[in-house]
Amino acid sequence: MIQESIKKFVIVGGGTAGWIAAATLGNIFRHSEVEIELVESDDIGVIGVGEATIPPLLTILESLGIDLVDFIKHTQASFKLGIQFDDWHTIGQGYFHPFGTLGRSIDGHDFFQCWLKSKSEGDDTPLMAHSPESVLAEQGRFFLPFEAQGTPLASTTFALHLDAVLAGKYLRKFAEKSGVKRTEGLVESVSKSDKGFIESVTLKSGVEIAGDFFIDCSGFKGLLIEEALETGYEDWSEFLPCNRAVTVQTENMGDTTPYTIATARAAGWTWRIPLQHRTGNGYVFCDKYCSDEEAVETLLSSIEGEPLTEPRVIPFTTGVRHKAWSQNCLALGLAQGFLEPLESTAIHLVSKSLALFVRLFPTAECDTQLSDEFNRRVRQDYEEIRDFLVLHYCTTQRDDTPFWRWCQQMPLPEKLKAKLELFKVHGGLIPGTEELFQPTSWYAVFDGMGVEPIGYNPTLDAIDYHKLKQSLHSGKTAIQTSAATQPSHDEFLRTYCPA
Ligand code: FAD
């Protein structure tokens, strides 16, 4: 059987998505004849936000052979152990969603069930006392887990806060070293074959760039996937109504928290993302309940330190492209879909999509069985994250503004409804192997938002409760003791990544 392989990839767009794609494909094909060309327009520029990440980013860096210290230095990154959610349940109440797992199973019983059992016996130890990330975050400390082998902190999981523009530049250098060609120019038109495949893009300068496979990383508009191929977009505003964000950067006030802060506000929520050289701030809001002027005022009155930039408003529509892969075109990043950055999932979706594409790698014919499977899985990922985001809103007890009153009676996606019901009745969730947010993430939000199950797994009644209590107590104490000996996050950054 003769297979016509892809000889040239054309990537349109040089934002985070474009350069991650270029770095990944460049790395795969560095010793082959396959050409990769990336086109980006300096006039349009990049969106320049997207500063909080989740742990799988470290796996991408590792798979590309990128040195963590070098990357942190060049992107002014700081470490992230999770997200502090303030005022979501009620004003004045906060909770922490840590990366990583909670506690350890006891006598083969799931840790969360053990904690529920102990709680029912009158133990009031907070769930988060059993999370190394949460305890370290509370104390403002950080260290590298692989340097703490044999301690209860060895399982600590972390990600980075990074400067998105610097990260793009870093990845560009990396990709160019592996042979990716960069062309500056504005794509003005797209040519298609009779069967609807993209054949080439033409720049304003008149230069035509042909290819076998095109990757659309052109941002929200989806220059190829939407404007040329008209794949359509599924709007999910009925579940996640926030549709604008205002952003501003401020100076770093010297306390680089090893976590993101997401604070619920009158018509949405604000983020605070500390980097080494500055802090990123933004207000994600719904324009039905808040004007741009009000949003700017809310954001500016919530920041610490002097603004370094003018406030910038970014409109968006939550949802996903009907087909993220259509014909010989794959859409990544904002061109693929958008879920608000509450759990910092966008950059992860870029790399997860790329990994899936590589697993389902096509020949030049682009068999639709591959793209159908790809699209099914991408949609599943988006739905899973969407439901987890909705959970943060629909469980609120706030009724102080029309926005929060709407959230209390919002429509829920069917799968989320079922998951909530299962948790309430059973007290636990079954992990899904392909899911990004494992049960411990859901438990963190359930617990923080006061969603309580009616009981725990009855098998826990067969356990020696005295032994269980001791085990929980010693686990908690060991985390506290080990965390207290670690350096502050700022100290750690200074020694690990000296300027
Ligand atoms: P862009 O950065 O918009 O890049 C588009 C590229 O296409 C540019 O290079 C542009 O020049 C090029 N282009 C466009 N049209 C043409 C043309 N005609 N010709 C040539 N080139 C063209 N993600 C996270 O993971 N964590 C976060 O905390 C986070 N926060 C966010 C906050 C907000 C408010 C928003 C809107 C997004 C956030 N994201 C976050 C998402 C993240 O910013 C994006 O997923 C990521 O930056 C990828 O963007 P992109 O590369 O798809 O698009």
Side-chain angles (χ1 to χ4, degrees):
M1 189 173 64
I2 297 170
Q3 291 198 155
E4 186 71 25
S5 59
I6 294 170
K7 295 186 186 66
K8 178 160 183 188
F9 282 94
V10 178
I11 301 170
V12 175
T16 317
W19 284 115
I20 290 180
T24 307
L25 294 177
N27 193 43
I28 293 173
F29 293 112
R30 66 188 184 282
H31 301 304
S32 80
E33 298 288 299
V34 174
E35 280 179 74
I36 301 161
E37 182 166 357
L38 182 146
V39 193
E40 65 175 320
S41 159
D42 287 345
D43 290 344
I44 295 179
V46 299
I47 196 154
V49 282
E51 304 187 322
T53 68
I54 50 177
L57 173 81
L58 302 177
T59 316
I60 311 169
L61 298 181
E62 203 181 322
S63 68
L64 293 173
I66 290 175
D67 176 64
L68 185 60
V69 176
D70 194 52
F71 186 74
I72 290 174
K73 272 188 189 168
H74 284 91
T75 58
Q76 290 292 317
S78 69
F79 292 96
K80 175 181 169 188
L81 293 160
I83 305 174
Q84 171 68 30
F85 288 94
D86 286 332
D87 300 341
W88 285 79
H89 176 269
T90 39
I91 293 175
Q93 206 160 313
Y95 70 94
F96 195 73
H97 171 201
F99 298 134
T101 53
L102 291 164
R104 262 182 290 166
S105 65
I106 300 170
D107 284 350
H109 291 278
D110 176 69
F111 173 81
F112 186 66
Q113 296 304 317
C114 296
W115 179 79
L116 282 177
K117 161 76 180 168
S118 192
K119 192 177 174 202
S120 78
E121 296 281 345
D123 181 355
D124 60 1
T125 309
L127 181 61
M128 288 306 142
H130 300 283
S131 152
E133 295 85 2
S134 183
V135 174
L136 283 161
E138 201 180 351
Q139 299 182 9
R141 299 179 193 277
F142 191 78
F143 75 104
L144 286 175
F146 32 87
E147 287 173 3
Q149 293 306 320
T151 81
L153 302 183
S155 65
T156 303
T157 308
F158 66 92
L160 300 176
H161 299 122
L162 48 81
D163 181 318
V165 174
L166 296 179
K169 285 186 181 158
Y170 189 95
L171 290 167
R172 172 181 162 185
K173 237 187 190 170
F174 179 90
E176 285 180 325
K177 263 194 214 154
S178 44
V180 172
K181 176 181 173 192
R182 173 190 182 258
T183 301
E184 198 287 317
L186 184 80
V187 174
E188 274 198 334
S189 63
V190 180
S191 301
K192 290 189 287 181
S193 68
D194 292 344
K195 66 171 184 173
F197 273 38
I198 297 177
E199 287 181 325
S200 64
V201 294
T202 305
L203 307 185
K204 194 177 173 187
S205 61
V207 170
E208 187 181 6
I209 302 171
D212 302 315
F213 198 95
F214 290 76
I215 304 194
D216 187 349
C217 299
S218 64
F220 284 126
K221 63 175 170 276
L223 196 66
L224 310 180
I225 197 80
E226 193 56 53
E227 293 184 5
L229 298 179
E230 300 177 351
T231 49
Y233 191 78
E234 187 168 338
D235 184 335
W236 283 343
S237 309
E238 65 182 300
F239 300 124
L240 290 166
C242 287
N243 55 3
R244 293 174 93 71
V246 53
T247 66
V248 72
Q249 296 171 1
T250 50
E251 55 186 333
N252 180 332
M253 298 299 284
D255 176 21
T256 320
T257 55
Y259 52 89
T260 304
I261 302 177
T263 308
R265 305 284 176 187
W269 60 279
T270 54
W271 77 72
R272 179 184 179 277
I273 300 175
L275 306 178
Q276 291 188 48
H277 62 322
R278 63 166 173 77
T279 299
N281 310 273
Y283 182 15
V284 172
F285 62 99
C286 174
D287 67 358
K288 194 170 159 202
Y289 301 99
C290 177
S291 66
D292 287 356
E293 294 71 28
E294 285 170 313
V296 169
E297 209 180 302
T298 301
L299 181 63
L300 292 181
S301 63
S302 74
I303 55 176
E304 304 149 20
E306 285 303 308
L308 301 173
T309 54
E310 287 298 315
R312 181 163 69 113
V313 176
I314 304 170
F316 58 80
T317 307
T318 293
V320 63
R321 213 56 78 193
H322 284 308
K323 288 179 182 176
W325 176 355
S326 175
Q327 314 278 41
N328 62 339
C329 174
L330 174 75
L332 294 174
L334 302 174
Q336 182 183 79
F338 188 72
L339 293 163
E340 60 180 71
L342 189 57
E343 287 283 353
S344 329
T345 43
I347 294 172
H348 165 73
L349 280 168
V350 172
S351 52
K352 190 167 180 199
S353 292
L354 268 167
L356 181 59
F357 176 72
V358 171
R359 271 161 73 188
L360 293 169
F361 206 82
T363 59
E365 285 77 30
C366 293
D367 192 318
T368 51
Q369 290 198 41
L370 300 174
S371 51
D372 287 351
E373 177 62 8
F374 179 91
N375 291 330
R376 190 185 67 76
R377 284 174 180 265
V378 165
R379 190 190 164 83
Q380 204 169 290
D381 289 342
Y382 271 75
E383 283 182 355
E384 184 224 324
I385 296 171
R386 176 198 68 192
D387 289 1
F388 188 56
L389 299 186
V390 172
L391 177 73
H392 295 65
Y393 288 98
C394 72
T395 48
T396 188
Q397 294 299 311
R398 282 184 68 156
D399 59 3
D400 54 306
T401 66
F403 175 79
W404 291 106
R405 285 194 287 279
W406 178 86
C407 290
Q408 287 204 14
Q409 46 76 51
M410 68 190 291
L412 298 186
E414 287 305 317
K415 275 193 207 146
L416 173 60
K417 240 192 247 175
K419 214 161 183 170
L420 266 165
E421 288 312 314
L422 177 69
F423 176 74
K424 283 180 189 164
V425 175
H426 172 64
L429 298 174
I430 310 294
T433 44
E434 288 283 322
E435 287 177 1
L436 175 62
F437 293 107
Q438 291 295 310
T440 48
S441 286
W442 288 77
Y443 299 155
V445 181
F446 286 146
D447 184 55
M449 296 302 282
V451 180
E452 290 197 11
I454 52 175
Y456 51 85
N457 190 313
T459 57
L460 264 298
D461 286 332
I463 201 169
D464 174 349
Y465 178 62
H466 184 67
K467 199 175 140 204
L468 171 79
K469 196 175 164 191
Q470 266 189 339
S471 182
L472 286 174
H473 180 75
S474 61
K476 175 193 81 174
T477 310
I479 293 175
Q480 284 285 348
T481 314
S482 302
T485 62
Q486 304 308 327
S488 78
H489 182 216
D490 278 312
E491 271 166 23
F492 184 82
L493 277 170
R494 274 193 298 273
T495 45
Y496 186 63
C497 316

